[in-house]
PDB file of all heavy atoms in Angstrom:
ATOM      1  N   SER A   1      48.450   7.762  -9.239  1.00  0.00           N
ATOM      2  CA  SER A   1      47.325   8.010  -8.334  1.00  0.00           C
ATOM      3  C   SER A   1      47.698   8.922  -7.171  1.00  0.00           C
ATOM      4  O   SER A   1      46.865   9.198  -6.314  1.00  0.00           O
ATOM      5  CB  SER A   1      46.783   6.681  -7.787  1.00  0.00           C
ATOM      6  OG  SER A   1      47.727   6.067  -6.931  1.00  0.00           O
ATOM      7  N   TRP A   2      48.947   9.359  -7.120  1.00  0.00           N
ATOM      8  CA  TRP A   2      49.397  10.292  -6.087  1.00  0.00           C
ATOM      9  C   TRP A   2      50.323  11.314  -6.725  1.00  0.00           C
ATOM     10  O   TRP A   2      51.097  10.989  -7.627  1.00  0.00           O
ATOM     11  CB  TRP A   2      50.154   9.552  -4.973  1.00  0.00           C
ATOM     12  CG  TRP A   2      50.829  10.471  -4.005  1.00  0.00           C
ATOM     13  CD1 TRP A   2      50.275  11.079  -2.918  1.00  0.00           C
ATOM     14  CD2 TRP A   2      52.199  10.908  -4.054  1.00  0.00           C
ATOM     15  NE1 TRP A   2      51.206  11.876  -2.291  1.00  0.00           N
ATOM     16  CE2 TRP A   2      52.398  11.785  -2.952  1.00  0.00           C
ATOM     17  CE3 TRP A   2      53.265  10.648  -4.917  1.00  0.00           C
ATOM     18  CZ2 TRP A   2      53.626  12.396  -2.709  1.00  0.00           C
ATOM     19  CZ3 TRP A   2      54.492  11.262  -4.668  1.00  0.00           C
ATOM     20  CH2 TRP A   2      54.663  12.119  -3.563  1.00  0.00           C
ATOM     21  N   ILE A   3      50.215  12.542  -6.237  1.00  0.00           N
ATOM     22  CA  ILE A   3      51.069  13.607  -6.727  1.00  0.00           C
ATOM     23  C   ILE A   3      51.484  14.468  -5.543  1.00  0.00           C
ATOM     24  O   ILE A   3      50.690  14.709  -4.632  1.00  0.00           O
ATOM     25  CB  ILE A   3      50.347  14.452  -7.805  1.00  0.00           C
ATOM     26  CG1 ILE A   3      51.281  15.495  -8.411  1.00  0.00           C
ATOM     27  CG2 ILE A   3      49.096  15.104  -7.249  1.00  0.00           C
ATOM     28  CD1 ILE A   3      50.691  16.187  -9.631  1.00  0.00           C
ATOM     29  N   GLU A   4      52.711  14.909  -5.559  1.00  0.00           N
ATOM     30  CA  GLU A   4      53.217  15.736  -4.473  1.00  0.00           C
ATOM     31  C   GLU A   4      52.589  17.125  -4.568  1.00  0.00           C
ATOM     32  O   GLU A   4      52.748  17.808  -5.583  1.00  0.00           O
ATOM     33  CB  GLU A   4      54.736  15.845  -4.567  1.00  0.00           C
ATOM     34  CG  GLU A   4      55.370  16.650  -3.451  1.00  0.00           C
ATOM     35  CD  GLU A   4      56.878  16.787  -3.636  1.00  0.00           C
ATOM     36  OE1 GLU A   4      57.350  16.673  -4.787  1.00  0.00           O
ATOM     37  OE2 GLU A   4      57.573  17.010  -2.638  1.00  0.00           O
ATOM     38  N   PRO A   5      51.854  17.564  -3.540  1.00  0.00           N
ATOM     39  CA  PRO A   5      51.222  18.891  -3.604  1.00  0.00           C
ATOM     40  C   PRO A   5      52.267  20.000  -3.646  1.00  0.00           C
ATOM     41  O   PRO A   5      53.325  19.865  -3.019  1.00  0.00           O
ATOM     42  CB  PRO A   5      50.414  18.956  -2.295  1.00  0.00           C
ATOM     43  CG  PRO A   5      50.282  17.544  -1.839  1.00  0.00           C
ATOM     44  CD  PRO A   5      51.525  16.847  -2.299  1.00  0.00           C
ATOM     45  N   PRO A   6      51.989  21.116  -4.335  1.00  0.00           N
ATOM     46  CA  PRO A   6      50.827  21.256  -5.210  1.00  0.00           C
ATOM     47  C   PRO A   6      51.204  20.913  -6.649  1.00  0.00           C
ATOM     48  O   PRO A   6      52.040  21.588  -7.249  1.00  0.00           O
ATOM     49  CB  PRO A   6      50.482  22.736  -5.073  1.00  0.00           C
ATOM     50  CG  PRO A   6      51.817  23.393  -4.813  1.00  0.00           C
ATOM     51  CD  PRO A   6      52.689  22.375  -4.108  1.00  0.00           C
ATOM     52  N   GLU A   7      50.653  19.857  -7.164  1.00  0.00           N
ATOM     53  CA  GLU A   7      50.799  19.478  -8.577  1.00  0.00           C
ATOM     54  C   GLU A   7      52.207  19.045  -8.968  1.00  0.00           C
ATOM     55  O   GLU A   7      52.687  19.347 -10.049  1.00  0.00           O
ATOM     56  CB  GLU A   7      50.362  20.636  -9.488  1.00  0.00           C
ATOM     57  CG  GLU A   7      49.025  21.234  -9.104  1.00  0.00           C
ATOM     58  CD  GLU A   7      47.852  20.619  -9.844  1.00  0.00           C
ATOM     59  OE1 GLU A   7      48.074  19.741 -10.678  1.00  0.00           O
ATOM     60  OE2 GLU A   7      46.729  21.020  -9.569  1.00  0.00           O
ATOM     61  N   GLY A   8      52.926  18.350  -8.076  1.00  0.00           N
ATOM     62  CA  GLY A   8      54.202  17.775  -8.479  1.00  0.00           C
ATOM     63  C   GLY A   8      55.387  18.416  -7.785  1.00  0.00           C
ATOM     64  O   GLY A   8      55.202  19.222  -6.883  1.00  0.00           O
ATOM     65  N   PRO A   9      56.642  18.027  -8.175  1.00  0.00           N
ATOM     66  CA  PRO A   9      56.952  17.212  -9.357  1.00  0.00           C
ATOM     67  C   PRO A   9      56.830  15.704  -9.149  1.00  0.00           C
ATOM     68  O   PRO A   9      56.703  14.959 -10.105  1.00  0.00           O
ATOM     69  CB  PRO A   9      58.410  17.587  -9.650  1.00  0.00           C
ATOM     70  CG  PRO A   9      58.972  17.877  -8.300  1.00  0.00           C
ATOM     71  CD  PRO A   9      57.863  18.515  -7.514  1.00  0.00           C
ATOM     72  N   ALA A  10      56.899  15.225  -7.897  1.00  0.00           N
ATOM     73  CA  ALA A  10      56.866  13.775  -7.672  1.00  0.00           C
ATOM     74  C   ALA A  10      55.481  13.204  -7.955  1.00  0.00           C
ATOM     75  O   ALA A  10      54.465  13.782  -7.570  1.00  0.00           O
ATOM     76  CB  ALA A  10      57.280  13.473  -6.234  1.00  0.00           C
ATOM     77  N   LYS A  11      55.462  12.058  -8.629  1.00  0.00           N
ATOM     78  CA  LYS A  11      54.224  11.353  -8.944  1.00  0.00           C
ATOM     79  C   LYS A  11      54.462   9.861  -8.767  1.00  0.00           C
ATOM     80  O   LYS A  11      55.570   9.377  -8.983  1.00  0.00           O
ATOM     81  CB  LYS A  11      53.774  11.628 -10.380  1.00  0.00           C
ATOM     82  CG  LYS A  11      53.521  13.091 -10.705  1.00  0.00           C
ATOM     83  CD  LYS A  11      53.209  13.288 -12.183  1.00  0.00           C
ATOM     84  CE  LYS A  11      53.013  14.758 -12.518  1.00  0.00           C
ATOM     85  NZ  LYS A  11      52.752  14.973 -13.975  1.00  0.00           N
ATOM     86  N   ALA A  12      53.404   9.126  -8.377  1.00  0.00           N
ATOM     87  CA  ALA A  12      53.544   7.680  -8.197  1.00  0.00           C
ATOM     88  C   ALA A  12      52.177   7.026  -8.282  1.00  0.00           C
ATOM     89  O   ALA A  12      51.148   7.656  -7.991  1.00  0.00           O
ATOM     90  CB  ALA A  12      54.201   7.360  -6.851  1.00  0.00           C
ATOM     91  N   HIS A  13      52.190   5.760  -8.668  1.00  0.00           N
ATOM     92  CA  HIS A  13      50.940   4.993  -8.641  1.00  0.00           C
ATOM     93  C   HIS A  13      50.940   4.157  -7.370  1.00  0.00           C
ATOM     94  O   HIS A  13      51.720   3.219  -7.228  1.00  0.00           O
ATOM     95  CB  HIS A  13      50.806   4.089  -9.867  1.00  0.00           C
ATOM     96  CG  HIS A  13      49.466   3.422  -9.925  1.00  0.00           C
ATOM     97  ND1 HIS A  13      48.359   4.039 -10.442  1.00  0.00           N
ATOM     98  CD2 HIS A  13      49.045   2.224  -9.449  1.00  0.00           C
ATOM     99  CE1 HIS A  13      47.312   3.240 -10.314  1.00  0.00           C
ATOM    100  NE2 HIS A  13      47.711   2.146  -9.709  1.00  0.00           N
ATOM    101  N   LEU A  14      50.051   4.503  -6.435  1.00  0.00           N
ATOM    102  CA  LEU A  14      50.029   3.881  -5.115  1.00  0.00           C
ATOM    103  C   LEU A  14      48.686   3.248  -4.764  1.00  0.00           C
ATOM    104  O   LEU A  14      48.610   2.457  -3.820  1.00  0.00           O
ATOM    105  CB  LEU A  14      50.362   4.925  -4.033  1.00  0.00           C
ATOM    106  CG  LEU A  14      51.666   5.699  -4.196  1.00  0.00           C
ATOM    107  CD1 LEU A  14      51.789   6.744  -3.097  1.00  0.00           C
ATOM    108  CD2 LEU A  14      52.867   4.754  -4.192  1.00  0.00           C
ATOM    109  N   ASP A  15      47.637   3.584  -5.519  1.00  0.00           N
ATOM    110  CA  ASP A  15      46.279   3.160  -5.176  1.00  0.00           C
ATOM    111  C   ASP A  15      45.777   2.131  -6.188  1.00  0.00           C
ATOM    112  O   ASP A  15      45.995   2.282  -7.397  1.00  0.00           O
ATOM    113  CB  ASP A  15      45.345   4.361  -5.149  1.00  0.00           C
ATOM    114  CG  ASP A  15      45.812   5.423  -4.180  1.00  0.00           C
ATOM    115  OD1 ASP A  15      46.741   6.195  -4.538  1.00  0.00           O
ATOM    116  OD2 ASP A  15      45.275   5.483  -3.068  1.00  0.00           O
ATOM    117  N   TYR A  16      45.072   1.104  -5.679  1.00  0.00           N
ATOM    118  CA  TYR A  16      44.716  -0.044  -6.523  1.00  0.00           C
ATOM    119  C   TYR A  16      43.304  -0.522  -6.243  1.00  0.00           C
ATOM    120  O   TYR A  16      42.711  -0.219  -5.197  1.00  0.00           O
ATOM    121  CB  TYR A  16      45.682  -1.205  -6.271  1.00  0.00           C
ATOM    122  CG  TYR A  16      47.116  -0.893  -6.608  1.00  0.00           C
ATOM    123  CD1 TYR A  16      47.951  -0.254  -5.688  1.00  0.00           C
ATOM    124  CD2 TYR A  16      47.660  -1.228  -7.851  1.00  0.00           C
ATOM    125  CE1 TYR A  16      49.267   0.036  -5.986  1.00  0.00           C
ATOM    126  CE2 TYR A  16      48.977  -0.934  -8.164  1.00  0.00           C
ATOM    127  CZ  TYR A  16      49.775  -0.309  -7.229  1.00  0.00           C
ATOM    128  OH  TYR A  16      51.073  -0.013  -7.532  1.00  0.00           O
ATOM    129  N   CYS A  17      42.824  -1.308  -7.194  1.00  0.00           N
ATOM    130  CA  CYS A  17      41.580  -2.042  -7.032  1.00  0.00           C
ATOM    131  C   CYS A  17      41.843  -3.485  -7.452  1.00  0.00           C
ATOM    132  O   CYS A  17      42.214  -3.746  -8.602  1.00  0.00           O
ATOM    133  CB  CYS A  17      40.471  -1.428  -7.878  1.00  0.00           C
ATOM    134  SG  CYS A  17      38.949  -2.383  -7.808  1.00  0.00           S
ATOM    135  N   PHE A  18      41.676  -4.405  -6.513  1.00  0.00           N
ATOM    136  CA  PHE A  18      41.881  -5.828  -6.764  1.00  0.00           C
ATOM    137  C   PHE A  18      40.552  -6.562  -6.611  1.00  0.00           C
ATOM    138  O   PHE A  18      39.719  -6.187  -5.781  1.00  0.00           O
ATOM    139  CB  PHE A  18      42.893  -6.425  -5.777  1.00  0.00           C
ATOM    140  CG  PHE A  18      44.235  -5.770  -5.789  1.00  0.00           C
ATOM    141  CD1 PHE A  18      44.602  -4.888  -4.779  1.00  0.00           C
ATOM    142  CD2 PHE A  18      45.144  -6.025  -6.800  1.00  0.00           C
ATOM    143  CE1 PHE A  18      45.850  -4.285  -4.772  1.00  0.00           C
ATOM    144  CE2 PHE A  18      46.396  -5.419  -6.813  1.00  0.00           C
ATOM    145  CZ  PHE A  18      46.746  -4.543  -5.795  1.00  0.00           C
ATOM    146  N   VAL A  19      40.379  -7.620  -7.404  1.00  0.00           N
ATOM    147  CA  VAL A  19      39.206  -8.486  -7.276  1.00  0.00           C
ATOM    148  C   VAL A  19      39.669  -9.937  -7.284  1.00  0.00           C
ATOM    149  O   VAL A  19      40.827 -10.233  -7.602  1.00  0.00           O
ATOM    150  CB  VAL A  19      38.188  -8.254  -8.415  1.00  0.00           C
ATOM    151  CG1 VAL A  19      37.700  -6.814  -8.424  1.00  0.00           C
ATOM    152  CG2 VAL A  19      38.788  -8.624  -9.775  1.00  0.00           C
ATOM    153  N   ASN A  20      38.761 -10.847  -6.953  1.00  0.00           N
ATOM    154  CA  ASN A  20      39.072 -12.272  -7.064  1.00  0.00           C
ATOM    155  C   ASN A  20      38.892 -12.733  -8.509  1.00  0.00           C
ATOM    156  O   ASN A  20      38.239 -12.054  -9.324  1.00  0.00           O
ATOM    157  CB  ASN A  20      38.197 -13.099  -6.125  1.00  0.00           C
ATOM    158  CG  ASN A  20      36.719 -12.952  -6.412  1.00  0.00           C
ATOM    159  OD1 ASN A  20      36.201 -11.831  -6.439  1.00  0.00           O
ATOM    160  ND2 ASN A  20      36.019 -14.058  -6.631  1.00  0.00           N
ATOM    161  N   HIS A  21      39.483 -13.866  -8.836  1.00  0.00           N
ATOM    162  CA  HIS A  21      39.508 -14.331 -10.228  1.00  0.00           C
ATOM    163  C   HIS A  21      38.108 -14.551 -10.788  1.00  0.00           C
ATOM    164  O   HIS A  21      37.862 -14.307 -11.972  1.00  0.00           O
ATOM    165  CB  HIS A  21      40.320 -15.627 -10.325  1.00  0.00           C
ATOM    166  CG  HIS A  21      39.634 -16.818  -9.733  1.00  0.00           C
ATOM    167  ND1 HIS A  21      39.544 -17.025  -8.377  1.00  0.00           N
ATOM    168  CD2 HIS A  21      38.993 -17.861 -10.321  1.00  0.00           C
ATOM    169  CE1 HIS A  21      38.881 -18.152  -8.148  1.00  0.00           C
ATOM    170  NE2 HIS A  21      38.544 -18.675  -9.303  1.00  0.00           N
ATOM    171  N   ALA A  22      37.157 -15.012  -9.949  1.00  0.00           N
ATOM    172  CA  ALA A  22      35.808 -15.298 -10.447  1.00  0.00           C
ATOM    173  C   ALA A  22      35.019 -14.029 -10.737  1.00  0.00           C
ATOM    174  O   ALA A  22      34.109 -14.035 -11.571  1.00  0.00           O
ATOM    175  CB  ALA A  22      35.064 -16.165  -9.433  1.00  0.00           C
ATOM    176  N   LEU A  23      35.351 -12.943 -10.052  1.00  0.00           N
ATOM    177  CA  LEU A  23      34.632 -11.693 -10.268  1.00  0.00           C
ATOM    178  C   LEU A  23      35.175 -10.919 -11.459  1.00  0.00           C
ATOM    179  O   LEU A  23      34.456 -10.109 -12.058  1.00  0.00           O
ATOM    180  CB  LEU A  23      34.728 -10.825  -9.001  1.00  0.00           C
ATOM    181  CG  LEU A  23      33.854  -9.565  -8.949  1.00  0.00           C
ATOM    182  CD1 LEU A  23      32.379  -9.913  -9.022  1.00  0.00           C
ATOM    183  CD2 LEU A  23      34.157  -8.766  -7.687  1.00  0.00           C
ATOM    184  N   PHE A  24      36.417 -11.170 -11.836  1.00  0.00           N
ATOM    185  CA  PHE A  24      37.050 -10.373 -12.883  1.00  0.00           C
ATOM    186  C   PHE A  24      36.262 -10.338 -14.195  1.00  0.00           C
ATOM    187  O   PHE A  24      36.179  -9.270 -14.831  1.00  0.00           O
ATOM    188  CB  PHE A  24      38.474 -10.861 -13.147  1.00  0.00           C
ATOM    189  CG  PHE A  24      39.145 -10.117 -14.255  1.00  0.00           C
ATOM    190  CD1 PHE A  24      39.547  -8.798 -14.088  1.00  0.00           C
ATOM    191  CD2 PHE A  24      39.343 -10.710 -15.499  1.00  0.00           C
ATOM    192  CE1 PHE A  24      40.139  -8.089 -15.119  1.00  0.00           C
ATOM    193  CE2 PHE A  24      39.930 -10.019 -16.532  1.00  0.00           C
ATOM    194  CZ  PHE A  24      40.332  -8.694 -16.354  1.00  0.00           C
ATOM    195  N   PRO A  25      35.646 -11.445 -14.669  1.00  0.00           N
ATOM    196  CA  PRO A  25      34.893 -11.365 -15.931  1.00  0.00           C
ATOM    197  C   PRO A  25      33.738 -10.365 -15.896  1.00  0.00           C
ATOM    198  O   PRO A  25      33.250  -9.964 -16.962  1.00  0.00           O
ATOM    199  CB  PRO A  25      34.377 -12.797 -16.117  1.00  0.00           C
ATOM    200  CG  PRO A  25      35.356 -13.647 -15.383  1.00  0.00           C
ATOM    201  CD  PRO A  25      35.741 -12.835 -14.188  1.00  0.00           C
ATOM    202  N   ARG A  26      33.301  -9.950 -14.715  1.00  0.00           N
ATOM    203  CA  ARG A  26      32.204  -8.987 -14.614  1.00  0.00           C
ATOM    204  C   ARG A  26      32.688  -7.542 -14.636  1.00  0.00           C
ATOM    205  O   ARG A  26      31.880  -6.609 -14.619  1.00  0.00           O
ATOM    206  CB  ARG A  26      31.407  -9.225 -13.327  1.00  0.00           C
ATOM    207  CG  ARG A  26      30.599 -10.525 -13.330  1.00  0.00           C
ATOM    208  CD  ARG A  26      29.898 -10.724 -11.993  1.00  0.00           C
ATOM    209  NE  ARG A  26      29.097  -9.573 -11.607  1.00  0.00           N
ATOM    210  CZ  ARG A  26      28.555  -9.420 -10.398  1.00  0.00           C
ATOM    211  NH1 ARG A  26      28.747 -10.351  -9.471  1.00  0.00           N
ATOM    212  NH2 ARG A  26      27.830  -8.358 -10.122  1.00  0.00           N
ATOM    213  N   VAL A  27      33.997  -7.326 -14.667  1.00  0.00           N
ATOM    214  CA  VAL A  27      34.534  -5.963 -14.670  1.00  0.00           C
ATOM    215  C   VAL A  27      34.309  -5.339 -16.047  1.00  0.00           C
ATOM    216  O   VAL A  27      34.740  -5.876 -17.066  1.00  0.00           O
ATOM    217  CB  VAL A  27      36.031  -5.953 -14.321  1.00  0.00           C
ATOM    218  CG1 VAL A  27      36.570  -4.524 -14.399  1.00  0.00           C
ATOM    219  CG2 VAL A  27      36.257  -6.521 -12.923  1.00  0.00           C
ATOM    220  N   ARG A  28      33.634  -4.211 -16.059  1.00  0.00           N
ATOM    221  CA  ARG A  28      33.369  -3.498 -17.313  1.00  0.00           C
ATOM    222  C   ARG A  28      34.400  -2.409 -17.571  1.00  0.00           C
ATOM    223  O   ARG A  28      34.825  -2.188 -18.706  1.00  0.00           O
ATOM    224  CB  ARG A  28      31.968  -2.875 -17.279  1.00  0.00           C
ATOM    225  CG  ARG A  28      31.646  -1.992 -18.485  1.00  0.00           C
ATOM    226  CD  ARG A  28      30.258  -1.408 -18.391  1.00  0.00           C
ATOM    227  NE  ARG A  28      29.229  -2.437 -18.541  1.00  0.00           N
ATOM    228  CZ  ARG A  28      27.936  -2.214 -18.362  1.00  0.00           C
ATOM    229  NH1 ARG A  28      27.510  -1.013 -17.987  1.00  0.00           N
ATOM    230  NH2 ARG A  28      27.067  -3.189 -18.535  1.00  0.00           N
ATOM    231  N   ASP A  29      34.808  -1.707 -16.511  1.00  0.00           N
ATOM    232  CA  ASP A  29      35.741  -0.602 -16.707  1.00  0.00           C
ATOM    233  C   ASP A  29      36.454  -0.315 -15.391  1.00  0.00           C
ATOM    234  O   ASP A  29      35.951  -0.618 -14.302  1.00  0.00           O
ATOM    235  CB  ASP A  29      34.999   0.651 -17.166  1.00  0.00           C
ATOM    236  CG  ASP A  29      35.930   1.715 -17.746  1.00  0.00           C
ATOM    237  OD1 ASP A  29      37.100   1.381 -18.029  1.00  0.00           O
ATOM    238  OD2 ASP A  29      35.492   2.863 -17.916  1.00  0.00           O
ATOM    239  N   VAL A  30      37.640   0.284 -15.490  1.00  0.00           N
ATOM    240  CA  VAL A  30      38.412   0.727 -14.333  1.00  0.00           C
ATOM    241  C   VAL A  30      39.302   1.866 -14.787  1.00  0.00           C
ATOM    242  O   VAL A  30      39.853   1.840 -15.890  1.00  0.00           O
ATOM    243  CB  VAL A  30      39.235  -0.438 -13.730  1.00  0.00           C
ATOM    244  CG1 VAL A  30      40.220  -0.991 -14.742  1.00  0.00           C
ATOM    245  CG2 VAL A  30      39.955  -0.001 -12.462  1.00  0.00           C
ATOM    246  N   PHE A  31      39.436   2.900 -13.947  1.00  0.00           N
ATOM    247  CA  PHE A  31      40.258   4.045 -14.334  1.00  0.00           C
ATOM    248  C   PHE A  31      40.590   4.872 -13.099  1.00  0.00           C
ATOM    249  O   PHE A  31      39.964   4.752 -12.040  1.00  0.00           O
ATOM    250  CB  PHE A  31      39.548   4.919 -15.370  1.00  0.00           C
ATOM    251  CG  PHE A  31      38.265   5.552 -14.882  1.00  0.00           C
ATOM    252  CD1 PHE A  31      38.266   6.830 -14.337  1.00  0.00           C
ATOM    253  CD2 PHE A  31      37.058   4.874 -14.973  1.00  0.00           C
ATOM    254  CE1 PHE A  31      37.094   7.412 -13.882  1.00  0.00           C
ATOM    255  CE2 PHE A  31      35.879   5.446 -14.516  1.00  0.00           C
ATOM    256  CZ  PHE A  31      35.895   6.729 -13.981  1.00  0.00           C
TER     257      PHE A  31
END
């Protein structure tokens, strides 16, 4: 979700989406 400008070379996944356990069954998609 992060890339060192411009276009690399360093890349990392730093950004997230969290929900509570009761809401999770309603999740249709994430990307």
Side-chain angles (χ1 to χ4, degrees):
S1 68
W2 171 84
I3 185 170
E4 182 183 24
E7 312 267 359
K11 301 175 182 178
H13 186 83
L14 305 176
D15 303 79
Y16 298 85
C17 175
F18 302 103
V19 300
N20 60 305
H21 72 284
L23 189 61
F24 177 71
R26 291 177 53 191
V27 177
R28 174 180 291 173
D29 196 14
V30 61
F31 63 93

